[in-house]
Amino acid sequence: MKTLLLATTNPGKIQEIKAILTGIPLRLLSPAEIDLRLTIDEISSSYFGNAQLKAQIYANASGLPALADDSGLEVFALGGKPGVHSHRYSPNAAADDRERCLYLLDNLKAHPQPWEARFVCAVVLYSPSGEVLRSFGECRGEIIPEFRGENGFGYDPIFLVAGTNKTMAELPDEQKNQLSHRANALRAAMPALREFACQ
Ligand code: ITT
């Protein structure tokens, strides 16, 4: 069976990608499982640019094909912010997920509700010999001014998923892994991933 390295330092993403790709005959490894610790400056202004950067650097460093995800939250009242900078969206560089959510809510106070938003996810698979595939997914919803639920990570507790009346953090894992931006991006890539796995 082929090995695929998950080119991310985010444990929440690793858990979700492993669950979503169950059924694809690939051995999925995290960087920690091969003792690989890289720090990457996400210098691109696009999700695909950063996903490509991460996939390429991990593939070259490990000699393994690597799958990267660059994702973010876009709030329409804020002109699409925090967007590609979702992970660094706070004046405090050491802020945690909760503080980033509070900062976002603070910035939204002046705007009327509903605070429509979407999560987006760009996925790139790179082998040491070049790009294998890229794919995009989104999940629509709205930001709410309270924290609900314990699952997931990042902005999940304040993101109400359209059509569910639940935040991402209230959805059971199986449901988040059906509806999420990450699930949609990876589902669109399934045929190419299966082909890659069986080559
Ligand atoms: P890697 O770059 O190592 O993959 P990261 O967390 O820095 O990890 P990104 O640069 O793609 O990943 O930043 C995405 C940020 O967007 C993430 O840290 C969260 O704040 C937010 N985000 C992305 N997907 C999310 C999800 O499914 N649920 C909640 N927040 C999410």
Side-chain angles (χ1 to χ4, degrees):
M1 196 187 286
K2 259 191 195 167
T3 298
L4 180 62
L5 181 64
L6 302 181
T8 174
T9 54
N10 181 323
K13 287 187 186 178
I14 290 174
Q15 202 187 345
E16 290 180 17
I17 295 169
K18 283 188 172 178
I20 295 164
L21 296 186
T22 307
I24 301 277
L26 285 170
R27 180 167 167 251
L28 303 176
L29 290 179
S30 68
E33 286 173 290
I34 57 165
D35 274 326
L36 184 62
R37 279 165 232 290
L38 301 174
T39 307
I40 299 174
D41 269 343
E42 295 184 25
I43 51 172
S44 173
S45 55
S46 77
Y47 298 103
F48 273 120
N50 285 324
Q52 181 184 334
L53 195 70
K54 292 188 265 189
Q56 203 169 358
I57 291 173
Y58 274 92
N60 290 339
S62 64
L64 293 168
L67 180 98
D69 153 328
D70 200 66
S71 41
L73 173 69
E74 298 182 348
V75 184
F76 301 145
L78 299 178
K81 282 186 181 161
V84 76
H85 303 301
S86 290
H87 185 63
R88 290 154 283 162
Y89 185 63
S90 165
N92 168 14
D96 61 14
D97 281 347
R98 189 177 170 85
E99 288 167 310
R100 276 188 285 272
C101 288
L102 288 171
Y103 180 65
L104 177 69
L105 292 176
D106 207 41
N107 286 337
L108 275 170
K109 263 197 232 148
H111 297 269
Q113 280 180 267
W115 298 323
E116 291 181 12
R118 66 171 188 164
F119 273 122
V120 299
C121 176
V123 162
V124 171
L125 197 168
Y126 223 89
S127 82
S129 53
E131 184 171 314
V132 178
L133 66 88
R134 57 176 56 203
S135 179
F136 185 83
E138 69 162 14
C139 175
R140 296 256 173 176
E142 71 178 88
I143 301 299
I144 54 165
E146 57 177 325
F147 286 72
R148 282 172 33 186
E150 304 292 332
N151 287 338
F153 65 95
Y155 300 92
D156 282 345
I158 58 167
F159 183 90
L160 198 66
V161 182
T164 69
N165 207 22
K166 288 205 163 109
T167 67
M168 272 292 197
E170 290 178 307
L171 293 179
D173 293 346
E174 313 80 68
Q175 212 180 342
K176 179 177 183 188
N177 292 335
Q178 283 290 321
L179 296 176
S180 78
H181 47 311
R182 190 158 294 109
N184 287 331
L186 288 169
R187 208 175 6 252
M190 285 298 181
L193 275 169
R194 278 185 208 286
E195 198 184 317
F196 168 78
C198 299
Q199 269 166 5

